[in-house]
């Protein structure tokens, strides 16, 4: 085992270590992150390990290079506003303010969208859940106890849903190159559900009401969306063969919009640059600058994270914090005593192979075992399954807890046909983000509660923060926050984001014809870069094959090509991880494939950005370590109970132990299983374990008894050993083929 360790060593980054272990060419890392900035790469203070801002990098047409942006930030000029945070909210505010003619600076400490804004469910959704919960609130006993407040609450929430519909329509119509409609099926296997969803008895009848509720939902966007509809079991079977049809009564289908969140974020940030904003990634705000002898904030001290940690100041008339779930950390720089205002709510996603879902239809489970919403969506050729809302402090690591992964897989099993076996080993990637939930700490007593995003100004320092909301409402949030600092009218409803001008739906065909790209690559480039896909194609290299002629892939099976790596360097990409996580979505889709692509991406970037051999190696190491925090087919059992193994995993284990296929386990089979797993036990121990499993005491153990034993509360004996040793990555055949005494794990 060889250790290739690396240590973050900026004074502010103390305590953060990345240890990378290479064993049999598989990289494993343990990353401790105590400071949110630390994860991106190893900065050896004083040395430029990244050098992305080289003057050598060619700027994109109409957009200054990152090198020019950094030079402008350091020039010491005063800005009208400096925005801190380059997620959807901060980049949106920069675009809005710049397009109104303000002099704008915007800084992001990592890559654009490196936090929450790349880890969403990728829906631009109009708030179906809010519609349901607001109706549940209205029809509660509060209507009689506090009628005015209850109606006001309902109206506020309802208007928020109307606002989401308006923004969804804007994204689909104006940003056609980045978005598309996606039909989402809600399967019903009964007409009455109990306990009722959304905590209201009326919703026990949700299956019956759903088609009408969804028609009403359509009407809120003035029927600009494809109409919702109902499918009978037969039609559902044809359209969604993966669905379990055993008890299916009918399926309601409605439409939402879908996008590639990290790309939309980058398109917003670069559009802001196009409109004149001085915007850069890898620049961190470290301190506020106060007016002499006063409390007013007049600028920000910054650190050029990618430039060896060089510090400089940016002066501004106004400062806006757009830190998502990290907004309170920013507010501590302005006022160490600041009361908390933003709570994080974590949500994990699991990516499975594409065959678990039709390529053109998703599924919504509105009533999971713990009441959360679960989306099951086709995305970038894969199946994305995820949910949101588990309150806990935000961390910058993308790592999804194993228990959440298992929970998601269990829930999947509920709707899928029994002959589809979702196994733990099907997980190609898994990641987690933190939704910012905000409250206004400066609101006067009696002020109305905000239902969505919060904008609040500190009366002493003059700093404004904006937090909360959703991806869907980024434009509206930007409009509202910029309205606070200028009377000039907002223009963003008229603005097409980067690549939108000149895009049309036939672009993939034209790209294929002109550049000899494969259909998949051409479709991916059009939906990612819009009309700028032509520029990407100009950089593409011949494949040396008859077909496709151009577009060398960075990973087989994926439509990402080497030309995109070169192009991304011109779009301010600084690290190998930037390319693999956000500029392409390879690490989000398939963490092992992303690791395989690291060396080639590093090689191309080294050439484009003039990296030394030392920088290239450091970059590769940091990319491996970071990508290792995404989940993959092998579970990271640290901190996981694994009691909640998926039902299908348990069936696999059961079937493997059930040597004679009788559907029941006997003592001999349990004894053999212990031997196969590598821990032969005494007859007494096996007997004790068997008696524990055999709850009915009839001398044989059925699947239900085995499942209940597996998920039991106490550890001990055989179960503990099985939990610890059994590899969910192994298939039933692997297990059956194990010789005596072989060890899994
Ligand atoms: C699991 C999940 C699923 C979701 N799904 C959806 C969905 O399907 N549809 C939808 O509409 N919404 C969805 N959301 C909500 C949506 O993703 C968020 O509302 C949105 O991305 C928040 O953007 P933001 O810019 O406010 O925060 P962020 O994207 O977190 O941006 C804040 C930025 O501030 C930067 N920063 C912090 N400190 C500093 C500093 N000192 N200096 C410089 N920069 C700094 C951070 O690096 C970060 O990039 C989801 C959220 C989660 C968690």
């Amino acid at each position: 085992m060889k250790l290739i360790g690396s240590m973050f060593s900026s004074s502010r980054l103390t305590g953060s270590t990345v240890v990378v272990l290479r064993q049999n060419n598989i990289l494993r890392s343990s990353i401790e992150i105590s400071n949110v900035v630390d994860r991106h790469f190893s900065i050896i203070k004083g040395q430029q390990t990244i050098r992305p801002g080289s003057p050598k990098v060619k700027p994109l047409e109409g957009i200054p290079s990152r090198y020019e942006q950094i030079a402008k930030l350091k020039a010491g000029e005063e800005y009208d506003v400096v925005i801190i945070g380059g997620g959807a909210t901060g980049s949106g505010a920069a675009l809005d303010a710049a397009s109104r003619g303000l002099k704008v600076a915007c800084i992001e400490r990592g890559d654009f969208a490196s936090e929450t804004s790349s880890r969403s469910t990728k829906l631009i959704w109009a708030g179906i859940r809010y519609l349901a919960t607001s109706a549940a609130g209205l029809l509660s006993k509060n209507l009689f106890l506090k009628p005015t407040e209850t109606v006001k609450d309902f109206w506020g929430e309802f208007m928020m849903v109307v606002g989401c519909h308006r923004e969804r329509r804007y994204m689909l119509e104006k940003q056609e190159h980045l978005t598309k409609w996606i039909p989402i099926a809600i399967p019903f296997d009964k007409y009455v559900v109990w306990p009722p969803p959304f905590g209201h008895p009326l919703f026990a009848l949700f299956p019956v009401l759903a088609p009408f509720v969804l028609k009403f939902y359509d009407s809120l966007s003035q029927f600009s969306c494809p109409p919702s509809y109902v499918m009978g079991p037969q039609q559902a079977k044809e359209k969604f063969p993966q669905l379990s049809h055993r008890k299916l009564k009918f399926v309601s289908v409605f439409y939402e919009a879908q996008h590639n969140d990290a790309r939309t974020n980058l398109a917003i940030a670069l559009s802001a640059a196009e409109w004149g904003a001085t915007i850069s990634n890898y620049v961190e705000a470290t301190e506020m600058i106060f007016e002499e002898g006063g409390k007013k904030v007049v600028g920000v001290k910054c650190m050029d994270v990618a430039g060896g940690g060089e510090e400089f100041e940016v002066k501004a008339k106004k400062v806006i914090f757009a830190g998502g779930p990290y907004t309170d950390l920013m507010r501590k720089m302005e006022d160490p005593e600041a009361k908390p205002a933003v709570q994080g709510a974590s949500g994990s996603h699991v990516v499975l192979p594409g065959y678990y879902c039709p390529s053109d239809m998703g599924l919504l489970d509105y009533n999971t075992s713990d009441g959360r919403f679960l989306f099951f969506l086709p995305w970038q050729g894969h199946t994305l399954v995820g949910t949101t809302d588990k309150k806990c402090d935000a961390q910058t690591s993308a790592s999804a807890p194993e228990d959440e992964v298992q929970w998601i897989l269990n829930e999947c099993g509920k709707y899928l046909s029994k002959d589809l076996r979702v196994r733990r080993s099907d997980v190609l990637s898994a990641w987690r983000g933190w939704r910012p939930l905000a409250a206004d700490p400066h609101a006067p007593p009696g002020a109305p509660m905000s239902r969505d995003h919060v904008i609040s100004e500190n009366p002493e320092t003059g700093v404004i923060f904006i937090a909360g909301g959703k991806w869907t409402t980024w434009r509206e949030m930007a409009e509202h926050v910029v309205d606070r600092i200028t009377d000039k009218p907002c223009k963003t409803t008229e603005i097409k984001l980067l690549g939108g001008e000149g895009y049309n739906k036939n672009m993939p065909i034209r790209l294929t014809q002109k550049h000899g790209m494969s259909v998949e690559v051409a479709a991916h480039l059009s939906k990612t870069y819009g009309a700028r896909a032509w520029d990407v194609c100009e950089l593409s290299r011949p494949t040396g094959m008859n077909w496709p002629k151009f577009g060398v892939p960075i990973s087989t099976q994926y439509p990402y090509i080497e030309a995109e790596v070169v192009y991304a360097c011109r779009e301010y990409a600084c690290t190998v991880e930037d390319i693999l996580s956000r500029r392409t979505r390879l690490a989000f889709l398939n963490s092992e494939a992303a690791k395989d692509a690291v060396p080639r991406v590093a090689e191309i970037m080294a050439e484009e950005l003039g990296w030394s051999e030392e920088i290239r190696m450091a970059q590769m190491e940091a990319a491996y370590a970071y990508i290792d925090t995404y989940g993959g087919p092998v579970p990271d059992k640290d901190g996981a109970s694994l009691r909640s193994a998926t039902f299908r995993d348990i069936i696999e284990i059961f079937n493997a132990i059930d040597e004679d296929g009788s559907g029941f386990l006997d003592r001999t089979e349990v004894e053999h299983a212990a031997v196969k797993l590598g821990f032969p036990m005494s007859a007494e121990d096996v007997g004790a374990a068997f008696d524990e499993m055999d709850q009915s005491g009839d001398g044989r153990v059925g699947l239900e008894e085995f499942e209940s034993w597996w998920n039991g509360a106490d550890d001990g004996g055989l179960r503990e050993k099985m939990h610890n040793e059994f590899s969910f990555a192994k298939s039933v055949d692997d297990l059956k083929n194990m010789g005596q005494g072989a060890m899994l794990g």
Side-chain angles (χ1 to χ4, degrees), residues 61-237:
E61 195 192 320
I63 298 174
S65 68
R66 185 179 179 279
Y67 180 81
E68 290 167 309
Q69 298 283 34
I70 296 282
K72 278 202 264 173
L73 282 175
K74 288 180 182 168
E77 286 177 33
E78 190 190 40
Y79 285 87
D80 290 325
V81 58
V82 56
I83 297 154
I84 308 178
T89 310
S91 303
L95 171 62
D96 186 304
S99 59
R100 294 197 210 193
L102 300 188
K103 191 170 160 136
V104 181
C106 176
I107 56 170
E108 162 56 52
R109 69 177 178 198
D111 191 17
F112 300 113
S114 52
E115 300 282 351
T116 327
S117 299
S118 59
R119 305 185 198 162
S120 78
T121 311
K122 328 297 178 201
L123 288 176
I124 300 194
W125 47 266
I128 180 85
R129 190 190 171 106
Y130 292 93
L131 193 64
T133 48
S134 62
L138 180 71
L139 302 171
S140 69
K141 63 178 185 300
N142 285 344
L143 188 61
F144 303 103
L145 299 175
K146 298 181 270 178
T148 322
E149 259 175 62
T150 309
V151 172
K152 233 164 106 184
D153 268 2
F154 167 76
W155 188 245
E157 203 120 318
F158 180 72
M159 289 316 287
M160 188 194 80
V161 174
V162 172
C164 288
H165 276 267
R166 191 183 49 239
E167 293 304 313
R168 188 182 71 174
R169 185 173 180 177
Y170 154 78
M171 286 301 284
L172 279 152
E173 288 179 2
K174 204 80 189 168
Q175 317 306 345
E176 203 190 352
H177 61 303
L178 298 168
T179 52
K180 63 169 191 175
W181 285 112
I182 171 97
I184 300 178
I186 314 181
F188 295 106
D189 56 9
K190 36 178 107 85
Y191 292 111
V192 179
V193 255
W194 201 265
F198 315 114
H200 193 289
L202 177 71
F203 284 102
L205 290 174
F206 185 62
V208 181
L209 297 174
F212 305 99
V213 171
L214 293 173
K215 277 289 167 217
F216 179 63
Y217 193 63
D218 293 353
S219 75
L220 295 177
S221 52
Q222 291 151 0
F223 299 102
S224 60
C225 53
S228 58
Y229 60 95
V230 170
M231 291 191 290
Q234 193 50 39
Q235 198 189 350
K237 194 172 182 170

